[in-house]
Amino acid sequence: MNGDAQLIDDTLAGNRAAFGELVRRYEGRLFNTLVHMVGSREEAEDVSQEAFVQAFLKLDTFRGRSAFYTWLYRIAFNVSVSRKRRRRAEVSMDLHRERTGEEPEEAGEGPGERILREEQVQQVRGAIGDLHDEHRAIVVLREIEGCDYETIAEILDVPVGTVRSRLHRARLQLRDQLKELLQENVTE
Amino acid sequence: MTAPFSDELLSAYLDGELNAEEQAYVEVQLRERVELRRLCDELRALRATLRAMPVSRPPENFAERVMRQAERQMLTGSPTTTDLTSGDSEPAAGLSVSRFLASRRWRIGLGVVAGLAACALAMVFLMPPFLSTTERVASAPEPTMGDAETTAELAQDRGDVAKVAKLSELNEKYVMRGRNQAFGAAGAAGAPPKTDPTGEIEMLPSAAEESRPAAPVVADESTAVGTSVERHPKREQEGVVGGRRDESSSGEPAMSSGSGFGSAAPPSIRRGGIRGMGGGGSIRPVGPGMSGGFGGGMGGMGGGAGGVPRSLEPKSGQLTDMPAYAPAATPPADMAVDVKTKSVEGLEPSEIAATDAMSKTLPSDAQAEMAWLGTRLTAESIEQCTAQLDQSHFLLVRVSGPEAVDLIAGVPHSTMGKTLAADALKLFAETGVAVKEEGKLRNAAEMPEQKPGGGGRAVGQATQENPVTPPQVLIVEGSADRIRDSLAQLAARPEISVELASIIDSQTDRRLRILRFEDDLPQERVADNYGEGQSKNSEDGISVPREHSGRPMQADGRVREAKDDSVAKAPAQVAGKPADKADPARDPSREKLKGTAQDAVALPAPPAQPQDPAAVSKSAPAIPAAPAVPSVDKAPSAGTAAMVESANRPNGASVPSEVAKERAVIYILYRLLPEPAVPGPAGESGDR
């Protein structure tokens, strides 16, 4: 985006507010993606914050050959992987740490429906969390971010063929784990 | 299309990622095959379910928190955890305050601050201020948000003119200094400075310190700098602060401070040859761009310089004595280790190498020992690693990340004799991963027995769909300084992950222990191999490597070009393996590794930059000099001659093929070359 380039230039010129604008521009997207990647809001906050900070500190190394968000996401991805390694003993995908009430309510949704939906959300997140890191990244980028294969390949620096094969495998795994849920959705 | 139908096409079909021909082909298949239609429906339902997931939004003040954090880190290099917590106990917090403030850099800085504060106080009381305190605060040139808040809070809450004045003065100093560092005079002119005027990053004393095992930290990376430190029950360490400035930098900024999010020192050097990798700190950013600040991170110094360090409490405005650094307790006697011998007493090899580094099944001491393995390179760990190198000890560094492959793109291929290549291969072979048959390395797929757990050899059946690509191996020899610089430059790459894999001790015949991470192992191969979704070799508990980029190695160490199918695939696959207990057959080598500097063949100096920019991956920066250590000295015994053995590709080779562009994992084996013999009666070369 041309706007990104200008903000980057302004930041490098000393205008901190310009980077703040970059943060506001991408915080939602990155955060949402990371929630699915790492499985918890808290972790997503930490990872996204750290990613932005590192992007800020290393902005001069951004070469502009990819989109800023691509670069940012790659940083965030590495951060999340590294943090996960350090917390290997912990349950990084402990979805029960998710606070309730954080998800927006749907209009006209009764309490029972809301609870059921939350359970389904947890179930799906759990299944996503069980994926291998890079499979999860591809699924999230594809299904949550809506990135095409080329963009995913660029972000993860893998060939498009790899994106295709991993995405398919990940989908098969998710399908197996969410069979019942999917059947409900199909019949609805 | 005549190729057999692959279900992958179905996913791509649903995503609209097929060309017209493929799409038509899939549609024909869908019409003819019921099971395919069923699968298609399931995948559609899955997609819909995933896309219906609720959107999570960050907290409202997220951007402000990010900016505060970034500015603090830039200005002070300090790890601030307040913004990271949402009531969580941030693991780094346990390390952060006292250890960070105990750092040498902070002590020096605070000494300066204390002096300035004294001057400011004197000015306040002895001279009528030109402005009122609040006016001074207001006129302070763009203090950071946090500092402004602190100052404003004090002014508002305490009404203590003196303290507010002092704080504002300090804030100004910090802000101005930070701004000057970050932007310099050129900042005013709109251009970032070239270098950090404050220059040096101090290397904290490491060998002199008692450091304890501490949680490994990811540091030094803009991608993963100083992530929250994992608490380890055995670790209390104070990480290292600061780092070494990359003095050989050609303008590339050194790594950003690892300080932001915690640091830790991996186990003490005293605990063994494979330990003592300092962790924690980082190489402070220097060079063009934003990064500036004091660099260094947090971390205890352990017995550092004299003087009682003091901390500035933002809330109270008081300068208070920092808690004294408590040196780590000495390790248990049965764990005493002689650094030189690099042996680790008291640990069963199987205990050490049976599982990956973080396995809970390991005894806590073993866990501690292995804790540093896999840690990111930091300034201190670089220093300590280098210090441990000698003629019989090598350092293995694992480099991974999307752009790791760029490290070897453009690296000149050497005509080094077989000896060093054979050494490296032999090292890996000791683990049973690379097997030599008839003088040639064979791909695991070509071995007669392919079974899971087969001594770590079997990575899985290589098939066309599932090629087993080996890790790439670089061998780098050089002087300690050269190796240190190489490691520093590696660590300066934010896009890649550089971790210490092992220190290989040939004399004690310890097996190469290369740690694997669970996420290195592709799940599909796990399923293929073990059918249980395990990520480890069930026999020896060793994870097998994930798919790696790179070309297989030929017997002479060259890498077969992608299109050259005539040469047998000969990857050097690396996997950890439990140390051989009593099986000489599996532990064939008790002899010192061959290959010394004298065996080396001097190479022409490789270019510092790739000759052909187009030959470099699109995402590659100037190729770091990390593995490319030039030497024009043709004398084999030249101690400082350094060679690079690229196991991968010739100099100026084209961009790695599609396979190689997969996320690369590269191992770099560092060997120390002896210093050149000094002529004279007392001259001697020898181990460090």
Side-chain angles (χ1 to χ4, degrees):
Chain A
M1 290 177 61
N2 290 339
D4 286 354
Q6 186 59 51
L7 290 173
I8 291 169
D9 289 342
D10 291 345
T11 304
L12 291 173
N15 180 3
R16 291 194 316 272
F19 192 81
E21 180 56 34
L22 273 174
V23 174
R24 279 181 282 275
R25 186 174 288 193
Y26 292 111
E27 61 178 0
R29 182 178 173 188
L30 184 65
F31 179 80
N32 183 52
T33 299
L34 287 174
V35 166
H36 291 91
M37 272 293 298
V38 301
S40 80
R41 285 185 61 89
E42 290 84 356
E43 182 66 9
E45 276 183 46
D46 292 350
V47 173
S48 54
Q49 181 167 332
E50 184 172 339
F52 276 116
V53 169
Q54 295 313 315
F56 176 76
L57 295 174
K58 283 298 193 177
L59 198 60
D60 57 314
T61 69
F62 175 61
R63 301 172 193 90
R65 285 184 288 211
S66 61
F68 173 76
Y69 183 75
T70 300
W71 184 69
L72 176 67
Y73 182 84
R74 190 179 298 170
I75 293 175
F77 179 76
N78 282 350
V79 169
S80 67
V81 169
S82 294
R83 287 171 64 95
K84 185 184 178 186
R85 285 178 181 170
R86 299 298 172 260
R87 294 189 344 263
R88 194 184 301 264
E90 299 177 15
V91 180
S92 61
M93 290 300 164
D94 184 0
L95 301 174
H96 296 291
R97 288 184 292 156
E98 282 285 318
R99 296 193 293 270
T100 58
E102 291 180 346
E103 308 302 343
E105 295 185 4
E106 291 191 358
E109 192 178 49
E113 292 167 330
R114 183 162 177 273
I115 291 173
L116 179 62
R117 187 168 67 82
E118 286 177 358
E119 287 179 358
Q120 290 177 347
V121 167
Q122 296 295 342
Q123 194 177 350
V124 173
R125 286 192 174 149
I128 293 174
D130 288 341
L131 292 173
H132 191 276
D133 284 347
E134 293 205 350
H135 288 189
R136 187 184 323 121
I138 290 177
V139 165
V140 169
L141 286 171
R142 174 64 203 167
E143 307 297 1
I144 308 299
E145 284 261 355
C147 298
D148 59 19
Y149 286 15
E150 285 283 343
T151 304
I152 296 172
E154 183 186 0
I155 289 175
L156 299 180
D157 200 20
V158 296
V160 171
T162 302
V163 172
R164 177 195 288 191
S165 62
R166 289 181 184 175
L167 178 61
H168 184 67
R169 290 196 192 98
R171 281 172 168 166
L172 292 179
Q173 183 176 338
L174 289 173
R175 176 205 61 174
D176 294 338
Q177 282 195 266
L178 300 172
K179 251 197 171 71
E180 291 183 8
L181 178 64
L182 293 176
Q183 283 172 358
E184 292 172 14
N185 290 349
V186 167
T187 56
E188 284 177 359
Chain B
M1 285 184 64
T2 57
F5 181 82
S6 167
D7 284 356
E8 293 177 8
L9 290 174
L10 200 56
S11 271
Y13 169 77
L14 291 173
D15 294 332
E17 295 277 350
L18 296 180
N19 58 34
E21 183 188 0
E22 290 170 328
Q23 188 170 341
Y25 177 60
V26 171
E27 287 170 352
V28 168
Q29 296 294 317
L30 283 171
R31 281 196 295 270
E32 296 175 355
R33 295 165 59 178
V34 175
E35 73 280 8
L36 210 57
R37 289 199 294 274
R38 192 179 310 124
L39 176 59
C40 190
D41 290 339
E42 290 172 344
L43 293 180
R44 277 203 185 95
L46 174 66
R47 279 200 323 167
T49 301
L50 293 174
R51 292 177 182 182
M53 292 289 285
V55 174
S56 299
R57 292 186 171 80
E60 283 191 7
N61 62 343
F62 181 79
E64 287 72 25
R65 284 165 46 187
V66 166
M67 293 310 299
R68 280 202 300 271
Q69 175 80 358
E71 289 173 4
R72 283 200 188 105
Q73 202 166 337
M74 185 180 75
L75 293 176
T76 66
S78 63
T80 53
T81 59
T82 52
D83 288 330
L84 291 177
T85 59
S86 309
D88 289 347
S89 62
E90 167 56 49
L95 299 170
S96 59
V97 177
S98 62
R99 294 176 198 168
F100 169 56
L101 295 177
S103 72
R104 174 197 282 181
R105 177 161 286 280
W106 253 111
R107 282 188 224 136
I108 293 173
L110 285 171
V112 172
V113 168
L116 292 172
C119 293
L121 275 174
M123 290 177 60
V124 166
F125 287 108
L126 297 178
M127 296 173 57
F130 288 101
L131 300 172
S132 68
T133 301
T134 52
E135 287 173 322
R136 288 175 66 190
V137 169
S139 67
E142 292 194 54
T144 63
M145 281 188 266
D147 292 333
E149 288 172 0
T150 301
T151 306
E153 279 179 16
L154 285 169
Q156 188 175 2
D157 296 342
R158 303 181 64 86
D160 187 330
V161 173
K163 289 185 177 176
V164 170
K166 179 177 74 175
L167 276 173
S168 67
E169 190 78 14
L170 294 174
N171 285 341
E172 289 181 38
K173 297 289 183 183
Y174 272 96
V175 169
M176 290 310 297
R177 181 171 182 170
R179 283 165 56 82
N180 287 339
Q181 287 176 348
F183 306 118
K194 294 295 183 182
T195 58
D196 180 354
T198 59
E200 297 298 321
I201 303 167
E202 291 184 60
M203 177 62 73
L204 297 178
S206 55
E209 308 299 336
E210 278 193 286
S211 58
R212 268 171 90 169
V217 69
V218 175
D220 296 329
E221 280 286 329
S222 68
T223 56
V225 174
T227 52
S228 59
V229 176
E230 177 183 15
R231 289 189 192 275
H232 189 280
K234 286 251 172 198
R235 300 193 195 123
E236 309 170 357
Q237 185 41 23
E238 309 52 298
V240 173
V241 182
R244 178 183 294 270
R245 176 182 181 180
D246 181 9
E247 296 183 2
S248 63
S249 167
S250 57
E252 285 269 328
M255 281 314 304
S256 62
S257 166
S259 55
F261 300 93
S263 66
S268 165
I269 191 171
R270 297 187 180 190
R271 299 200 65 175
I274 58 170
R275 306 190 199 175
M277 299 295 119
S282 61
I283 300 173
R284 183 165 65 92
V286 294
M290 301 292 299
S291 17
F294 294 96
M298 43 182 250
M301 286 304 307
V308 178
R310 311 188 79 192
S311 66
L312 177 65
E313 299 293 333
K315 291 294 183 183
S316 64
Q318 303 268 355
L319 284 176
T320 59
D321 291 347
M322 290 188 287
Y325 171 76
T330 55
D334 61 352
M335 291 303 299
V337 178
D338 180 348
V339 171
K340 279 300 180 183
T341 63
K342 309 284 189 298
S343 61
V344 179
E345 310 290 339
L347 287 174
E348 290 294 326
S350 60
E351 290 175 339
I352 295 170
T355 61
D356 64 11
M358 305 303 286
S359 168
K360 287 183 175 179
T361 64
L362 285 176
S364 58
D365 286 338
Q367 291 184 42
E369 178 200 76
M370 301 179 86
W372 68 267
L373 297 172
T375 59
R376 305 296 281 269
L377 278 181
T378 65
E380 186 185 20
S381 65
I382 290 172
E383 185 62 29
Q384 294 190 12
C385 288
T386 313
Q388 293 193 56
L389 295 180
D390 58 27
Q391 293 310 298
S392 61
H393 296 90
F394 320 120
L395 172 65
L396 189 70
V397 172
R398 177 178 179 272
V399 181
S400 63
E403 298 184 3
V405 68
D406 298 337
L407 287 175
I408 50 90
V411 171
H413 178 77
S414 77
T415 56
M416 182 189 300
K418 295 182 183 180
T419 306
L420 280 178
D423 285 350
L425 295 175
K426 187 175 184 181
L427 285 173
F428 295 113
E430 286 179 1
T431 66
V433 177
V435 177
K436 283 190 174 183
E437 289 185 24
E438 300 177 2
K440 292 183 179 179
L441 286 177
R442 293 303 181 96
N443 189 346
E446 299 176 49
M447 296 180 55
E449 294 181 2
Q450 295 291 316
K451 57 182 180 180
R457 295 190 182 96
V459 181
Q461 289 291 340
T463 64
Q464 191 166 4
E465 291 82 19
N466 230 9
V468 176
T469 51
Q472 310 201 55
V473 179
L474 285 159
I475 305 172
V476 178
E477 284 195 337
S479 64
D481 284 342
R482 188 69 77 172
I483 291 176
R484 190 181 296 115
D485 286 346
S486 167
L487 292 170
Q489 291 188 33
L490 276 180
R493 297 284 301 277
E495 310 86 16
I496 63 175
S497 164
V498 187
E499 295 148 350
L500 303 171
S502 180
I503 284 199
I504 307 159
D505 183 350
S506 62
Q507 286 186 337
T508 62
D509 195 35
R510 291 191 70 81
R511 288 186 171 278
L512 176 66
R513 289 183 278 138
I514 299 196
L515 299 179
R516 297 294 186 211
F517 301 102
E518 288 178 2
D519 55 5
D520 271 0
L521 182 63
Q523 293 300 316
E524 62 274 20
R525 292 201 185 118
V526 173
D528 290 343
N529 291 344
Y530 312 119
E532 295 175 6
Q534 295 178 12
S535 63
K536 295 179 183 174
N537 179 312
S538 57
E539 269 196 24
D540 54 20
I542 302 301
S543 302
V544 290
R546 198 193 168 98
E547 58 192 1
H548 297 297
S549 68
R551 314 306 312 153
M553 270 202 298
Q554 301 169 192
D556 63 357
R558 291 172 183 265
V559 170
R560 178 166 67 86
E561 286 301 320
K563 296 182 181 179
D564 180 7
D565 294 327
S566 61
V567 180
K569 296 180 181 181
Q573 297 184 7
V574 181
K577 197 177 180 189
D580 189 48
K581 285 184 179 181
D583 185 356
R586 292 182 64 188
D587 190 6
S589 171
R590 291 200 170 265
E591 59 183 347
K592 188 174 180 180
L593 284 176
K594 296 176 185 176
T596 63
Q598 286 69 30
D599 297 327
V601 174
L603 296 173
Q609 301 291 333
Q611 302 277 0
D612 178 8
V616 181
S617 159
K618 61 181 170 78
S619 57
I623 298 299
V629 187
S631 168
V632 294
D633 189 344
K634 297 189 176 181
S637 59
T640 55
M643 295 171 292
V644 172
E645 165 74 1
S646 167
N648 304 288
R649 58 189 62 255
N651 185 17
S654 58
V655 174
S657 68
E658 183 172 340
V659 173
K661 280 295 285 181
E662 293 186 21
R663 182 173 181 176
V665 175
I666 299 171
Y667 289 87
I668 304 179
L669 182 69
Y670 288 94
R671 281 180 63 156
L672 185 69
L673 287 179
E675 295 296 329
V678 178
E684 63 180 346
S685 61
D687 295 352
R688 281 172 58 92

